[in-house]
Amino acid sequence: MGLTKQYLAYRAIDSFNIVASGRSNVNFVIYNKIEGRYVVSAAAENVILWDLRLGERVLTLRRDKQEVTALRVSPDRLHVAVGYNDGVVEIFDLTNPHNSVCSLALHKSAISILRYDEQGIRLVCGSLDCEMTVVDVVEQAGRQRLIGHNAPVTDAHFMERFNEQSIVVSCSKDTQIKFWNLETQFCFKTIVDNRTEVWALAFVKDLMVAGSGESTLNVYRIKPRDTTQVDQPIEAAVEGLSIDDDDTISPISVANCGVIQRAGKGRCVNLVADASERVISCHGTNDLIENFYICTEDEAKKRLVKRLKKAKKSSDETENDADLSKDLSLSDEIKRLESIKVKQKIKSIDILLGAKDELRVLVSLANNTLHLYSQEASFKKQASAKEETVKLLRSINRQGHHSEVRSVCFSSDSLAIGSGSAESFKFWNRDSMQCLRTVPADYVLCSTFVPGDRYMLLGLKSGKLLIVDVGSADVVEEIPAHDSELWSIALLPDQKGCVTGSSDSTVKIWTFELIDNPEDAKAMEEDDGEENLQRLKHGKVLSLLHKNTLKLEETVLCVRVSPDMKYLAVGLLDSTVKIFFLDTFKFYLSLYGHKLPVLCMDISYDSSLIATGSSDRNVKIWGLDFGDCHRSLFAHDDSVMGLQFIPNTHMFFTCGKDGKIKQWDADTFDKIITLPGHIGEAYSLAVSPNGRFLVSCGSDRCLRLFERTNEPIVLQDIQEEEREEMENQQLATGEDHAVPLLPGLKLASRKTVGSEKAAESILECLEICQKYEAEEDEKPELHPLMRALNVTNPQDFILVTLARIRASDLEEALLLLPFSNVCELLEKLPAVLEKRSDEIELLTKVVLFLFKVHMKPITGAKHMKPLLEQLIRALKKDVSSLRDVIGLNLHSLALIQHDIEEREGVELFREATQERKKRDKKRREGIKRQLIHMA
């Protein structure tokens, strides 16, 4: 059977209006080799790179559907790790932002924190599922999984002080700070002296600062463990004194050395230290950012001397000098800088210390804005109270509404979009998605362009009706149209007026009129000059003349007028839709059937159908001739908030509080397509007059724009795709790692559909290879899959199959293989090693993982022993030869470098060499101090 009706697909173009999501953090980033000008912020499911100087969006890092919950820029500021709500981490390269470098499925819940180590090679990732994973960025796979916290992980750091490379420090809502050894994957020290949830950690020099639910910051001093004191606890034990258990196994000692009192109230939300570890910034749940300067040793001594002098003066007895502590206190080491007061609740901060001790503070606010502040961060005396040391350098606040958008509409030429929120109304260019005008207004509930697109009508929560001049973005007139919320405005089809419906149970009809500009008339009274008379003739402005009022017994939620100017449809709070004759207001029909109030409705272009959407999650399609219900459709999982017909068709769009946007056919009652919707609730939608574009708004503060393409849709294919997607969300093999004899397996990855498909591809590959080897005498024709992968023998086929699996899915895929297939794969690997020794890294990884997981049954099987010996010999040989090649290349390059330097008299890579020498010198000095101490 051929296609009876052709539908054209709508595709998402982009989203706009959002500057920064409140759920994720913000970071400075280096772009075009410029630091301090570009920042990255989360925007619902995307990450946006903003140019603060121009206030423009430079590029967007995209992933579908899932909301961004954490992000972190790598130490080289060229890569961005992005954590999502579904526990996936994507790493993007800013030089090639269109595709992610790698995708890692690590956790079952949202990612709460991401943190790189100093080299940017490892990444620690904390989640709401109370677990952490450590990822090898080069290998693009998880290495360790750390399990031990009883509540969501709030912060995590690599502790790379004292040459301890394998320690991770984490804090959680379970009030504990834990120190983890990555080699053993166990916690070796827990700090439990916090009474409330620990929300953030920061490291500066040998200090660890912890922000909790109280108005103080706990400060701990971290020192390397003195190995010479190992024997003392045993002697102390003999004498019957208490022993600190941690001391025997911990490579570091942690001591609480005081608290920092915060000026802000409530819990600490964020703690940020700059890269040079000279400044710490923190903020709470209010609007205050507090900055602390970490003094050097000399500066701390100066502060101590000053404090002692002051104490000496204040005390009456001059002889009591010995009572004053000569040691440095926390107040000497940490100096409070001037706090930054902002005008809204703070969501996230990041800091950057530049030249001349200029501290730049990037702030993301709850009202969808970004601000960049500057202040001096130095040991010098602070400026006087009259001087302002804190300056607002840049802000991005006009690119989006400061609150959720409740209403959207298109201009009659489909080139402009209007959007209204609780504090303003904005005009947008549809092509560039840039904000053209902003009109300050009270809570906007509904809006529409007046024919001609020179004026806008805005319905407010207060019941007022605003007339706005689009060109100048001025409010021309404010009409007290209703006594309470004005829920709906509908234009009359003859374009001579409009209808408004309100909570005060009235529907009013208005006609458009051009009147003299009141300002011009006022100017005429003051001065009768010829110039003003000329201006008065041309200064006509739009006004509304009240024509008629329809009083009803229930609150009016929405109104529509049929295109033939015959009927007026009114949606009421009593769950019915009443239809009246427009000219006489005589009652015609009552559409009764919804169980909850009708929130939206629309009438088709030929005035034959009316579609109504309700809080009962249903959409009903009625005939306007007899008021009969043609069909009731279960449309959304929550209230249907918006509904509009596509012009000149019987197709319509709906959006609901479940965030989805759906297209329906009112003739066949089919759902055509579900578009990628909002994260959270969708509040309203608008279809352009030419039917080509669709715009929607929601609680994620995004305005999403869709465009009709020339791609035809086959309904059966769409339904099949949706079914497949639902099936893909459920894993065929279950969530857990089911491995016999290995109950405590803690893989640093999560089972996904990709890993299941990878396991299937390995099994299929083994099956094909078996057939090929069995019939080797007859030389059968190549399998289509082998031909597709461009291979001619089983060895290459196995290698290509393994190489095509993503690094993050490889271990999970091998884990799913039955033991018989594991033996089969191991038997085929020696031949692969012999033929393709260039892929030694991948093959070694596969062999070691399979042996680690299935060690007991492999060692128990006698026939596997010769195979294992053969594999070990081959792997040792290939690994050693690879190591020799790398060593030869390394020393050859060093020799070539030496020759070039001698010949040309220039030192190559001088800057990098100098930095390495400094690091080596510091390390040698540290070792020397340790040796002297031990001696």
Side-chain angles (χ1 to χ4, degrees):
M1 192 177 88
L3 291 173
T4 53
K5 193 166 187 178
Q6 186 173 338
Y7 303 105
L8 295 177
Y10 279 78
R11 290 283 175 262
I13 302 175
D14 207 349
S15 59
F16 54 103
N17 179 65
I18 187 163
V19 177
S21 296
R23 196 169 175 190
S24 179
N25 57 318
V26 288
N27 267 168
F28 281 104
V29 71
I30 294 175
Y31 189 69
N32 291 338
K33 298 181 180 177
I34 300 171
E35 191 171 16
R37 175 176 168 180
Y38 297 96
V39 299
V40 284
S41 69
E45 73 277 15
N46 299 327
V47 175
I48 297 176
L49 177 68
W50 291 100
D51 183 342
L52 290 176
R53 185 174 294 173
L54 300 176
E56 291 178 355
R57 177 158 62 167
V58 180
L59 54 89
T60 308
L61 311 175
R62 303 179 191 281
R63 181 175 179 253
D64 295 338
K65 294 179 184 174
Q66 296 297 334
E67 186 181 9
V68 176
T69 54
L71 55 90
R72 185 68 55 188
V73 177
S74 63
D76 61 3
R77 308 272 183 188
L78 298 175
H79 292 83
V80 182
V82 185
Y84 293 91
N85 196 33
D86 59 348
V88 171
V89 174
E90 299 254 356
I91 298 176
F92 292 90
D93 185 351
L94 290 176
T95 55
N96 180 24
H98 302 296
N99 298 310
S100 67
V101 176
C102 68
S103 178
L104 305 157
L106 301 172
H107 292 276
K108 295 175 183 175
S109 303
I111 305 294
S112 57
I113 183 69
L114 291 167
R115 192 86 62 178
Y116 278 96
D117 67 353
E118 286 177 6
Q119 287 79 31
I121 293 171
R122 293 177 300 170
L123 178 72
V124 64
C125 167
S127 167
L128 299 186
D129 62 7
C130 315
E131 296 177 2
M132 289 182 296
T133 48
V134 177
V135 176
D136 188 322
V137 175
V138 178
E139 198 182 339
Q140 297 183 4
R143 290 292 88 208
Q144 290 96 7
R145 184 176 290 276
L146 309 175
I147 303 171
H149 281 294
N150 301 321
V153 178
T154 51
D155 204 351
H157 290 259
F158 285 99
M159 204 187 81
E160 297 178 270
R161 285 151 179 75
F162 324 122
N163 297 321
E164 295 287 350
Q165 296 293 322
S166 61
I167 293 179
V168 165
V169 187
S170 66
C171 63
S172 164
K173 287 187 185 180
D174 61 7
T175 74
Q176 297 175 357
I177 300 170
K178 286 182 180 285
F179 291 76
W180 305 82
N181 186 332
L182 293 183
E183 289 171 5
T184 60
Q185 298 187 40
F186 280 100
C187 169
F188 63 82
K189 183 183 275 292
T190 304
I191 297 172
V192 292
D193 62 350
N194 290 285
R195 289 178 297 177
T196 54
E197 298 168 343
V198 184
W199 287 91
L201 293 174
F203 287 83
V204 282
K205 297 180 182 174
D206 61 344
L207 298 177
M208 177 176 75
V209 185
S212 64
E214 298 171 347
S215 60
T216 55
L217 301 174
N218 284 336
V219 184
Y220 303 89
R221 197 175 296 281
I222 300 174
K223 292 178 182 175
R225 173 68 58 201
D226 188 359
T227 52
T228 59
Q229 305 294 321
V230 173
D231 298 332
Q232 288 184 4
I234 301 167
E235 294 167 13
V238 173
E239 293 168 18
L241 300 173
S242 62
I243 307 173
D244 186 358
D245 298 350
D246 292 350
D247 290 357
T248 56
I249 58 167
S250 172
I252 54 168
S253 66
V254 183
N256 192 332
C257 60
V259 296
I260 303 172
Q261 184 64 45
R262 283 172 44 231
K265 294 179 181 177
R267 70 176 178 88
C268 172
V269 176
N270 253 326
L271 263 176
V272 186
D274 76 301
S276 59
E277 297 187 353
R278 285 173 58 196
V279 178
I280 291 180
S281 288
C282 76
H283 74 87
T285 52
N286 56 356
D287 55 0
L288 192 71
I289 301 168
E290 296 172 69
N291 301 313
F292 301 94
Y293 178 77
I294 311 300
C295 301
T296 61
E297 204 171 326
D298 295 337
E299 290 169 349
K301 283 175 183 174
K302 284 179 189 175
R303 282 172 67 86
L304 174 63
V305 170
K306 200 173 179 182
R307 181 165 61 84
L308 291 175
K309 279 183 184 175
K310 203 178 277 185
K312 195 184 283 185
K313 282 178 187 176
S314 62
S315 62
D316 298 331
E317 298 174 12
T318 54
E319 296 175 359
N320 270 357
D321 292 356
D323 296 343
L324 294 169
S325 173
K326 299 284 181 184
D327 293 333
L328 289 172
S329 74
L330 203 60
S331 59
D332 299 323
E333 291 184 70
I334 298 174
K335 176 191 173 188
R336 187 185 292 272
L337 298 173
E338 187 181 348
S339 297
I340 300 172
K341 182 89 171 170
V342 296
K343 294 177 181 176
Q344 279 284 334
K345 186 179 176 182
I346 301 163
K347 284 294 182 183
S348 174
I349 59 170
D350 195 20
I351 60 174
L352 189 67
L353 195 61
K356 298 179 183 176
D357 292 327
E358 184 202 9
L359 179 70
R360 291 197 168 186
V361 182
L362 173 68
V363 190
S364 157
L365 299 178
N367 66 348
N368 192 32
T369 59
L370 286 174
H371 294 288
L372 182 66
Y373 291 92
S374 170
Q375 76 175 110
E376 190 182 346
S378 66
F379 181 67
K380 296 171 191 172
K381 192 177 179 182
Q382 288 188 2
S384 60
K386 291 180 183 177
E387 289 182 42
E388 287 188 7
T389 58
V390 177
K391 297 173 187 171
L392 177 62
L393 291 182
R394 303 269 185 272
S395 66
I396 298 177
N397 55 9
R398 294 187 180 179
Q399 280 75 0
H401 285 279
H402 296 175
S403 56
E404 294 173 351
V405 181
R406 303 297 305 207
S407 170
V408 284
C409 58
F410 268 102
S411 61
S412 58
D413 57 5
S414 306
L415 293 175
I417 296 169
S419 63
S421 68
E423 85 296 324
S424 65
F425 189 86
K426 287 182 182 285
F427 297 97
W428 305 84
N429 182 320
R430 191 208 69 218
D431 286 335
S432 65
M433 298 182 211
Q434 294 293 322
C435 179
L436 304 174
R437 301 271 190 282
T438 301
V439 184
D442 289 337
Y443 207 117
V444 179
L445 290 177
C446 54
S447 57
T448 184
F449 278 87
V450 174
D453 296 338
R454 279 194 58 196
Y455 294 96
M456 281 290 307
L457 296 179
L458 306 181
L460 305 185
K461 198 172 185 178
S462 60
K464 291 176 182 173
L465 187 61
L466 297 189
I467 303 173
V468 177
D469 188 324
V470 173
S472 63
D474 292 330
V475 177
V476 175
E477 192 177 354
E478 190 177 282
I479 302 167
H482 294 274
D483 298 331
S484 56
E485 294 94 340
L486 201 162
W487 286 112
S488 184
I489 300 175
L491 290 175
L492 293 174
D494 61 1
Q495 302 193 340
K496 292 179 182 177
C498 67
V499 180
T500 59
S502 164
S503 292
D504 62 4
S505 307
T506 59
V507 174
K508 294 186 179 180
I509 296 182
W510 310 78
T511 55
F512 297 134
E513 278 202 351
L514 287 171
I515 60 166
D516 296 330
N517 194 332
E519 291 180 12
D520 287 348
K522 194 176 179 182
M524 273 296 294
E525 287 173 16
E526 293 171 4
D527 185 7
D528 291 336
E530 190 69 34
E531 199 177 310
N532 279 338
L533 185 66
Q534 194 69 24
R535 196 169 69 174
L536 182 63
K537 287 178 182 176
H538 300 288
K540 298 276 187 183
V541 294
L542 183 80
S543 182
L544 292 180
L545 182 67
H546 180 222
K547 190 178 175 187
N548 215 337
T549 302
L550 171 63
K551 287 193 175 181
L552 295 146
E553 294 177 359
E554 286 283 346
T555 295
V556 177
L557 294 177
C558 51
V559 292
R560 284 290 178 273
V561 179
S562 64
D564 59 4
M565 288 284 290
K566 195 173 179 184
Y567 304 117
L568 170 69
V570 184
L572 300 173
L573 194 66
D574 64 0
S575 311
T576 63
V577 176
K578 298 272 195 298
I579 298 173
F580 302 88
F581 289 101
L582 183 64
D583 48 359
T584 61
F585 284 163
K586 185 182 175 185
F587 177 74
Y588 172 54
L589 285 172
S590 178
L591 308 179
Y592 178 77
H594 283 292
K595 293 173 184 175
L596 289 169
V598 174
L599 301 177
C600 53
M601 63 182 175
D602 199 14
I603 300 173
S604 64
Y605 74 101
D606 54 4
S607 304
S608 63
L609 296 174
I610 178 170
T612 58
S614 162
S615 297
D616 63 7
R617 305 179 287 179
N618 289 321
V619 168
K620 291 185 187 288
I621 300 162
W622 318 75
L624 258 183
D625 40 7
F626 301 110
D628 55 323
C629 180
H630 290 185
R631 183 64 65 93
S632 180
L633 304 166
F634 181 75
H636 291 270
D637 298 329
D638 209 330
S639 304
V640 183
M641 298 296 288
L643 186 151
Q644 192 174 341
F645 274 98
I646 300 171
N648 303 320
T649 68
H650 279 181
M651 291 180 287
F652 61 91
F653 282 101
T654 60
C655 68
K657 280 192 176 178
D658 59 357
K660 291 174 183 168
I661 300 161
K662 298 182 180 182
Q663 186 184 0
W664 306 84
D665 190 334
D667 292 332
T668 61
F669 316 120
D670 288 322
K671 185 189 79 178
I672 300 167
I673 195 170
T674 302
L675 296 173
H678 291 266
I679 295 167
E681 301 173 353
Y683 291 137
S684 179
L685 59 80
V687 182
S688 64
N690 60 10
R692 241 187 96 190
F693 297 96
L694 166 74
V695 68
S696 67
C697 62
S699 62
D700 57 4
R701 296 192 180 175
C702 284
L703 290 175
R704 297 179 188 270
L705 186 63
F706 303 86
E707 184 181 11
R708 188 175 65 211
T709 61
N710 292 324
E711 179 191 336
I713 286 178
V714 180
L715 292 185
Q716 287 83 355
D717 292 355
I718 294 289
Q719 289 162 6
E720 187 62 36
E721 281 174 22
E722 287 179 1
R723 266 199 302 274
E724 275 182 21
E725 193 175 341
M726 284 178 69
E727 285 173 10
N728 284 347
Q729 287 171 359
Q730 296 174 345
L731 296 173
T733 55
E735 292 284 342
D736 298 326
H737 308 288
V739 182
L741 307 174
L742 223 72
L745 191 67
K746 296 192 290 186
L747 284 186
S749 57
R750 179 167 59 91
K751 197 187 294 183
T752 60
V753 177
S755 55
E756 286 186 342
K757 286 181 178 174
E760 282 177 22
S761 67
I762 294 172
L763 292 172
E764 189 179 10
C765 168
L766 292 172
E767 194 179 330
I768 292 167
C769 290
Q770 204 169 3
K771 286 179 185 175
Y772 193 82
E773 286 168 2
E775 301 167 6
E776 201 168 357
D777 303 333
E778 301 169 13
K779 286 289 179 191
E781 198 176 322
L782 280 180
H783 192 275
L785 197 56
M786 293 173 77
R787 207 176 292 128
L789 295 173
N790 201 17
V791 292
T792 55
N793 54 60
Q795 290 79 21
D796 285 346
F797 187 31
I798 290 170
L799 189 67
V800 170
T801 304
L802 291 171
R804 280 167 59 87
I805 300 169
R806 274 195 325 192
S808 55
D809 285 337
L810 181 62
E811 289 188 353
E812 291 286 351
L814 294 171
L815 205 60
L816 289 169
L817 297 179
F819 182 65
S820 58
N821 296 101
V822 168
C823 296
E824 195 179 335
L825 180 60
L826 286 172
E827 283 166 10
K828 287 180 170 48
L829 284 180
V832 180
L833 275 165
E834 193 178 334
K835 194 171 172 55
R836 294 294 302 273
S837 58
D838 56 321
E839 291 287 349
I840 182 66
E841 188 185 348
L842 173 67
L843 295 170
T844 307
K845 196 191 295 184
V846 170
V847 171
L848 289 177
F849 180 77
L850 289 175
F851 185 70
K852 185 171 73 176
V853 172
H854 301 283
M855 187 181 70
K856 286 186 179 177
I858 287 174
T859 50
K862 289 182 181 178
H863 69 281
M864 294 292 285
K865 192 177 178 184
L867 175 67
L868 284 178
E869 288 174 353
Q870 189 183 352
L871 271 171
I872 289 164
R873 274 198 305 274
L875 288 173
K876 272 187 179 176
K877 178 186 157 193
D878 289 338
V879 169
S880 59
S881 65
L882 182 67
R883 191 176 55 205
D884 292 344
V885 169
I886 291 169
L888 179 68
N889 290 345
L890 192 67
H891 289 87
S892 303
L893 288 169
L895 195 65
I896 292 165
Q897 181 186 341
H898 182 67
D899 287 349
I900 292 168
E901 285 173 356
E902 272 195 350
R903 191 169 61 248
E904 298 182 7
V906 179
E907 189 179 347
L908 296 179
F909 317 116
R910 188 175 185 282
E911 291 176 5
T913 312
Q914 292 296 107
E915 282 182 19
R916 195 182 70 193
K917 280 179 181 174
K918 280 180 188 174
R919 283 203 304 271
D920 290 349
K921 189 179 177 184
K922 274 185 185 176
R923 196 177 72 243
R924 280 199 301 273
E925 282 177 1
I927 294 166
K928 213 181 278 182
R929 278 199 298 271
Q930 285 178 6
L931 289 169
I932 290 164
H933 192 71
M934 283 172 72

